[in-house]
Amino acid sequence: MIDQTETAPLSPPRYPMTLATLSREAETAFAFALEAEDCTTAARFMRIRAIEEARFEGVIKPWQKTGWELSGRLSAITVQDCVVTLAPVTQYIEEDVTRRFLPETEMEAASEISIDADQDEDGPEPIGAEIDLAAVMLESLALALDPYPRADGAALETSVFAAPGVKPMTDEDARPFAKLAALKSKLTGED
């Protein structure tokens, strides 16, 4: 029997903020934390061992004539598999998040908006009628994860394999001048 939870497509949690409800005169604050079930679903969606907790808070304020700017703080505790031992590795994440959004109809004009190179921005993102705060949070979390988590003391050991009776080739043997150095050592009598 096939476990449907493993084969069914995963839908990440959603936390939509409808733009029509936001003020064009002031900023709108938001704050939410993923429930335990949403943490489990998000971890499976991101293909990591666990998200123990995740919180996102900040403000959305008007930007340009019709756009929006989101500024927030992501706090999370994640658990990933060590790339060497597969042991659990816990990571505490605190990230500042800034995103700018423009209606899809105005994205072509967005290429003319000057971007401060010091801010390291990608430019505004297109939006429809809402901003999905959970999607922004999970994207920021995915970018903040350690791509090669290692447990304390985990180190790769050197492994050398060869057929029986054959001298295994090492990394040193594969270096371009290793054989010349060995030949020079033989000819000069150096060890």
Side-chain angles (χ1 to χ4, degrees), residues 18-141:
T18 305
L19 297 178
T21 64
L22 301 180
S23 168
R24 290 295 304 167
E25 305 299 320
E27 61 187 30
T28 303
F30 66 86
F32 70 96
L34 293 184
E35 299 292 328
E37 183 178 319
D38 288 337
C39 282
T40 300
T41 301
R44 286 184 55 223
F45 182 76
M46 295 172 68
R47 290 183 162 73
I48 62 174
R49 187 179 282 218
I51 297 175
E52 293 180 353
E53 63 181 64
R55 179 170 179 70
F56 193 36
E57 57 187 41
V59 295
I60 298 175
K61 60 186 177 188
W63 177 71
Q64 300 284 328
K65 291 181 181 179
T66 58
W68 300 95
E69 181 178 77
L70 178 151
S71 299
R73 183 84 173 153
L74 164 68
S75 304
I77 300 173
T78 63
V79 181
Q80 299 182 79
D81 292 330
C82 172
V83 295
V84 177
T85 65
L86 298 180
V89 178
T90 301
Q91 182 180 1
Y92 300 91
I93 296 171
E94 293 282 336
E95 282 290 311
D96 290 323
V97 178
T98 302
R99 297 282 194 290
R100 291 184 174 157
F101 303 92
L102 278 176
E104 292 179 18
T105 56
E106 297 182 28
M107 284 304 293
E108 189 172 312
S111 61
E112 299 171 13
I113 295 173
S114 66
I115 295 175
D116 184 359
D118 294 335
Q119 290 183 347
D120 193 28
E121 282 191 48
D122 292 329
E125 300 174 30
I127 54 168
E130 65 185 27
I131 297 173
D132 185 351
L133 298 175
V136 173
M137 176 179 137
L138 292 177
E139 177 184 282
S140 300
L141 179 58

